[in-house]
Amino acid sequence: MSIKSNNTKRRRALYNLVKIAILSALSSVIMLLEFPIPFLAPGFYKLDFSEVIILIGGFSMGPTAALIMEFIKNLINLLIDGSVTGGVGELANFLIGASFTVSASIVYKFIKTKKGALISCLVGCVSLALVGACINYFIVVPAYASMFGGIDNIIMTGAQVNPAVNSLFKFVLICVIPFNLVKGVLCSVISFLLYKKVSPILHL
């Protein structure tokens, strides 16, 4: 392998690190601009569009970069905002976000076409819904329940959104899964519309 080839690879690796740092920081800022969707889920579930930045970065640099950006984003958010859940919420956000952006980036890595991007986003949305449901059922909701007076109080907040919520399973089914699907679809649409426009910059 030539010295010139080695230098090119080093420059490319350094450039990717710079892009990862910039996109992670931008994503963490966007994460602060969160808002509830009260007709879908209780107010402590908040929607943000930080995954748009990470998904675009994942399409550009691959699934490993997406995973790193998800970690850095949540670490920055933890340092800025602190945690009311002892880090549980941030860990859950990392795992759920990664399930979306990493799975989509893996598919796009092998099918780099417009159709591939659509399939990638679909896979990401399904992964987001399934992983989000499991993590909320086993980790997030029990953690919030321990802080806010028990599981019945959490279920009650879900019943205020939809009276059909009368158990943890229905809470996840009726509130959490639709919330995550809406987030996945919105982030996918925005990413799909923006990627081709910013792609030339990311591939300099």
Side-chain angles (χ1 to χ4, degrees):
M1 186 177 293
S2 68
I3 295 176
K4 183 178 180 180
S5 178
N6 278 330
N7 288 338
T8 300
K9 285 189 174 182
R10 287 172 184 169
R11 284 197 298 270
R12 176 57 58 185
L14 179 60
Y15 183 49
N16 281 343
L17 285 175
V18 171
K19 288 192 292 184
I20 286 172
I22 292 172
L23 293 176
S24 298
L26 179 58
S27 179
S28 66
V29 171
I30 293 176
M31 188 178 180
L32 298 174
L33 306 174
E34 57 184 7
F35 56 92
I37 309 180
F39 58 88
L40 275 181
F44 52 85
Y45 284 93
K46 292 183 171 63
L47 175 66
D48 68 81
F49 295 111
S50 60
E51 259 65 56
V52 170
I53 306 299
I54 295 178
L55 186 58
I56 289 174
F59 280 178
S60 172
M61 293 177 284
T64 301
L67 184 66
I68 294 171
M69 287 185 285
E70 283 286 354
F71 177 78
I72 295 174
K73 177 196 75 173
N74 281 282
L75 180 60
I76 292 174
N77 185 262
L78 179 62
L79 293 174
I80 292 175
D81 267 359
S83 176
V84 297
T85 60
V88 173
E90 287 70 27
L91 174 62
N93 190 287
F94 165 70
L95 295 173
I96 295 170
S99 72
F100 173 55
T101 56
V102 174
S103 61
S105 299
I106 289 173
V107 175
Y108 188 74
K109 182 178 180 179
F110 295 102
I111 316 175
K112 292 192 174 183
T113 62
K114 184 177 289 189
K115 182 179 179 180
L118 288 172
I119 295 172
S120 298
C121 290
L122 177 61
V123 170
C125 288
V126 172
S127 179
L128 174 64
L130 293 178
V131 173
C134 292
I135 289 177
N136 272 272
Y137 189 90
F138 292 108
I139 299 176
V140 174
V141 176
Y144 275 102
S146 67
M147 294 183 296
F148 298 112
I151 197 72
D152 288 341
N153 285 342
I154 301 297
I155 293 171
M156 189 182 303
T157 64
Q160 292 171 356
V161 176
N162 189 321
V165 175
N166 56 18
S167 65
L168 177 56
F169 176 79
K170 286 191 175 180
F171 179 88
V172 172
L173 181 66
I174 295 173
C175 294
V176 175
I177 291 179
F179 178 88
N180 281 332
L181 283 174
V182 167
K183 177 176 181 176
V185 170
L186 290 176
C187 288
S188 295
V189 170
I190 297 171
S191 301
F192 189 80
L193 294 174
L194 290 180
Y195 180 65
K196 288 301 179 183
K197 295 180 180 179
V198 301
S199 180
I201 300 174
L202 294 174
H203 288 94
L204 287 176

